[in-house]
Amino acid sequence: MLDPRKPAGLQKLHDAVRESNNRMDKFRSNYKDLLKQYVGARYSDDAADKDNPLNLMEAACTIYMQALAAKPPQVTVRTKQRRYKSAAMKLEALVNQELENPKIMHSIQRAVIASLMGMGLVKVGIRPAGQVEAYGESMDYAAPYVDVVLLENWVQDLSAPTLDEADYYGHCVEMRLDDVQNNPDFDPAVAEMIEGPAESGDDSNSLNTISGPTDKTRIGQWVKVWEIFLRREKLIVTYSDSVLHLGPLSVKEWEGPPNGPCHSLFYNDVEGNAMPLAPALTWLPLHDMVNSAMRKLNRQAERQKQIGIAAQSDTAEAEALREAADGEVVQVTDVNAIQEKAFGGINQQTFAWMLQLKQLFSWHAGNLDTLGGLAAMANTATQDQMLNANSSARLTWMGDRVAHFTKAVLTDYAYWLWTDPAVTYEVTLDSPIGPMPAVLQPEERDYDFFLNELEIEPYSMTNSPPSQKLQQVNTLMTQVILPMAPLLMQQGINPNIPAFLQLVAKYSNLPEVADLVTVNGAPLQVDGPDVSKRNAPPVKVSTENRVSRGAGGMQGDETSMIQRMMAAPPQGQLPA
């Protein structure tokens, strides 16, 4: 077992961290390059080198973030032990109450974006938050937090084939020098000897430099210290490179969740390697090719000009024609002596090539046009639904990773809420008679959180369109409530048909449902536009024609355009 309290043990840990930190420079560099493409050249002077007229990187990352973590999750808390069900219900209400804090969801969404370009990392822990009255005296208490860890500060044991097998992981923390020297958790004999910035690796990969140099803009003196979690030893070791010979700043026993304070999100494992393959790294070549073609087309468009040409002997007539107003008649000797010619302009094959590359990018990134709802991809809703189902295979797989990551993060967050020995939490429980206030006392949390199998399960992180809600409501009514109606009525529960029709009218955007039924002789009230003020429904005339079409929507239009432009002769060349 490694003992970082001893000089030899701390030096061995430092050497291992330094080696892995140097090996991670390439991954940090890749991440920074992808982030520059994400923000584009107009973000700052130090962002992307060239302008990206079609920023496909930003579009793809935003679409996936919206599809994977569009809104804050809700959780259910389950336990297999009946005597703990009351406490589990209160914990569920407490966690959902805490999730109203936008900082938690913001950290999860930032991790999702980071996972597309490298690896999403968050740290879950507690920090001092004040004092509370408990057991007749004032006690310090700490509140849980969820913070993002940037890849530029992250280090992990790259000698291990996977992160789960790593002996250590951690990150570099920037702190003000006076905060380090006054930190009561640090060894004062070591902290007071830190005088300047500690070594932390190559700052050229710092993401903050994308918005410009920051060398002389910070207030105060800042230093960097390493905070490393030793998985086997269950220790948190904090040390500074500059005073390594004096020993660590602190070595603490880890008393939190078994996997440590940090969680990672990624999608593509690389066999035998701890670092994953970022999806955006595979998108980058097509992104570059599309924008290179777009810049070329823009240069061609700017060179395009249309001018009149005339023989030298017809100079006077050409000048008269140039100065003539629109609609004016000008006399010339020979109407064919002066001609209008076009030069330059967009090359059709280059334009077709760009469109084809854009389609390839959408396909390679998982059919972005369908995932993002950017355009209909088929001629009918049924065909679109089939395409959505096919394109969602990758999204479902990625969503499972995000759900597992979110579950781990919120489980640790709930752990820190649960194990606070001083705070009494006020919560609101849902009940058949309405919201009911309750309290979660420290006495109810006097057993081990994990041994009693309390399970946190997040859900509802993605937006549900009205059509999907309509399908769910219809399925619930026709397959659950109505078949069980006789049994429900025996217990005094009656199906609420007017409420069902109101939901149908709302989610289908059909206020005309109010014309179909009445409630005790009165019109059905529906949410939406005022029924009395709308015009009479138009007469719908349908004509059925059997036709053979290619792919519909924007992709089909682009495909037809590509075929026509590829078949056309190059500019300046007559057809054969």
Side-chain angles (χ1 to χ4, degrees):
M1 300 286 283
L2 181 69
D3 186 358
R5 299 177 183 87
K6 298 180 179 179
L10 182 61
Q11 184 65 48
K12 186 173 183 180
L13 174 62
H14 172 260
D15 292 342
V17 169
R18 183 173 56 183
E19 179 184 354
S20 292
N21 188 46
N22 292 335
R23 289 178 61 186
M24 290 193 67
D25 279 344
K26 177 59 178 177
F27 300 100
R28 299 187 184 111
S29 176
N30 289 340
Y31 185 93
K32 186 175 181 179
D33 290 342
L34 290 170
L35 189 61
K36 285 184 175 182
Q37 296 300 315
Y38 174 81
V39 300
R42 299 174 186 267
Y43 178 76
S44 72
D45 292 337
D46 296 307
D49 296 333
K50 298 179 181 178
D51 200 7
N52 294 326
L54 282 178
N55 196 334
L56 300 176
M57 192 65 67
E58 184 276 335
C61 291
T62 302
I63 286 172
Y64 271 105
M65 190 275 290
Q66 293 172 342
L68 296 170
K71 60 182 182 180
Q74 295 288 286
V75 302
T76 58
V77 179
R78 296 192 294 263
T79 178
K80 296 180 181 179
Q81 301 191 33
R82 180 173 295 275
R83 67 181 184 275
Y84 299 133
K85 286 189 179 293
S86 174
M89 291 176 57
K90 295 177 183 179
L91 179 62
E92 176 181 312
L94 175 61
V95 175
N96 287 329
Q97 194 171 291
E98 291 284 317
L99 285 171
E100 295 177 2
N101 180 358
K103 292 183 179 179
I104 300 176
M105 188 57 194
H106 188 216
S107 294
I108 293 176
Q109 288 178 329
R110 287 178 61 191
V112 170
I113 290 287
S115 68
L116 296 170
M117 293 184 277
M119 186 163 59
L121 300 158
V122 299
K123 180 181 180 182
V124 186
I126 53 175
R127 58 170 62 104
Q131 290 188 330
V132 294
E133 291 293 330
Y135 307 107
E137 59 183 20
S138 295
M139 299 180 62
D140 294 331
Y141 83 97
Y145 65 86
V146 179
D147 284 348
V148 170
V149 178
L150 298 179
L151 186 63
E152 66 179 83
N153 297 326
W154 177 257
V155 68
Q156 66 187 59
D157 182 10
L158 290 187
S159 63
T162 66
L163 181 57
D164 292 335
E165 300 175 68
D167 287 333
Y168 63 86
Y169 66 73
H171 62 105
C172 191
V173 184
E174 276 195 297
M175 301 179 64
R176 288 189 58 149
L177 180 58
D178 52 351
D179 290 337
V180 174
Q181 294 175 341
N182 297 325
N183 193 316
D185 294 329
F186 291 168
D187 184 345
V190 178
E192 68 181 7
M193 298 303 295
I194 302 177
E195 296 181 351
E199 297 178 2
S200 60
D202 186 3
D203 284 339
S204 63
N205 291 324
S206 174
L207 302 181
N208 192 248
T209 58
I210 292 178
S211 56
T214 58
D215 296 341
K216 300 179 180 179
T217 57
R218 304 199 72 174
I219 298 175
Q221 191 172 10
W222 291 73
V223 296
K224 295 184 178 181
V225 298
W226 286 102
E227 186 176 289
I228 305 297
F229 172 65
L230 297 178
R231 192 187 299 271
R232 294 175 180 269
E233 293 79 4
K234 299 297 181 185
L235 296 174
I236 295 288
V237 184
T238 307
Y239 69 91
S240 170
D241 292 339
S242 63
V243 290
L244 189 70
H245 60 285
L246 297 178
L249 286 165
S250 72
V251 178
K252 289 186 176 181
E253 299 284 342
W254 174 248
E255 298 177 350
N259 291 324
C262 295
H263 299 277
S264 61
L265 172 63
F266 54 89
Y267 308 104
N268 301 321
D269 298 280
V270 179
E271 193 67 24
N273 291 269
M275 288 299 293
L277 172 64
L281 198 60
T282 67
W283 305 339
L284 185 59
L286 281 171
H287 168 83
D288 287 340
M289 293 171 70
V290 169
N291 284 284
S292 176
M294 279 293 296
R295 289 190 292 267
K296 186 178 184 68
L297 290 171
N298 183 59
R299 293 193 299 270
Q300 292 176 354
E302 290 178 343
R303 291 199 306 268
Q304 191 273 336
K305 56 185 176 180
Q306 198 162 357
I307 59 176
I309 60 175
Q312 189 171 4
S313 59
D314 299 322
T315 303
E317 295 180 353
E319 184 65 21
L321 184 64
R322 186 181 68 82
E323 295 180 354
D326 183 35
E328 187 177 347
V329 177
V330 178
Q331 292 183 350
V332 295
T333 305
D334 184 0
V335 295
N336 296 320
I338 302 175
Q339 299 180 8
E340 192 174 51
K341 295 289 186 181
F343 296 91
I346 292 177
N347 182 276
Q348 295 182 1
Q349 279 80 6
T350 304
F351 187 38
W353 170 241
M354 186 277 298
L355 292 177
Q356 197 164 33
L357 288 174
K358 188 167 73 70
Q359 288 187 3
L360 285 172
F361 183 94
S362 176
W363 168 81
H364 182 60
N367 206 349
L368 287 182
D369 293 329
T370 300
L371 292 178
L374 301 178
M377 302 300 292
N379 288 313
T380 67
T382 302
Q383 291 173 341
D384 254 341
Q385 192 172 14
M386 293 171 63
L387 285 175
N388 282 330
N390 292 333
S391 65
S392 65
R394 174 187 289 199
L395 188 63
T396 300
W397 166 66
M398 296 174 71
D400 290 341
R401 291 279 184 119
V402 174
H404 180 77
F405 168 77
T406 305
K407 177 179 179 178
V409 170
L410 296 182
T411 297
D412 285 7
Y413 190 88
Y415 170 86
W416 292 115
L417 291 172
W418 187 265
T419 54
D420 192 305
V423 180
T424 296
Y425 300 106
E426 296 181 357
V427 299
T428 301
L429 301 178
D430 293 329
S431 69
I433 60 174
M436 182 176 64
V439 292
L440 181 58
Q441 300 280 359
E443 293 79 9
E444 299 178 77
R445 313 193 301 269
D446 61 350
Y447 53 88
D448 189 276
F449 180 78
F450 291 95
L451 292 182
N452 290 286
E453 301 180 36
L454 280 176
E455 183 180 2
I456 307 292
E457 191 68 40
Y459 65 95
S460 185
M461 292 184 66
T462 58
N463 288 320
S464 299
S467 58
Q468 182 178 347
K469 293 181 179 179
L470 175 62
Q471 184 178 7
Q472 293 171 343
V473 168
N474 187 54
T475 300
L476 179 63
M477 175 61 78
T478 58
Q479 298 185 16
V480 179
I481 296 178
L482 291 183
M484 294 180 62
L487 180 60
L488 295 175
M489 294 174 68
Q490 291 177 8
Q491 301 183 17
I493 303 174
N494 296 314
N496 191 340
I497 302 301
F500 169 69
L501 294 176
Q502 287 175 346
L503 290 176
V504 170
K506 176 181 178 181
Y507 292 142
S508 60
N509 195 24
L510 285 175
E512 289 83 359
V513 171
D515 298 332
L516 304 179
V517 295
T518 60
V519 181
N520 296 326
L524 176 69
Q525 298 296 321
V526 300
D527 296 332
D530 188 350
V531 178
S532 63
K533 295 182 180 179
R534 69 178 189 273
N535 297 324
V539 177
K540 181 179 179 181
V541 179
S542 355
T543 303
E544 294 186 3
N545 295 319
R546 185 179 296 274
V547 295
S548 175
R549 290 194 183 103
M554 185 176 68
Q555 187 180 35
D557 295 339
E558 288 186 354
T559 301
S560 300
M561 189 184 302
I562 291 171
Q563 293 172 350
R564 291 196 300 270
M565 287 189 293
M566 285 297 191
Q571 288 180 331
Q573 176 180 323
L574 296 176

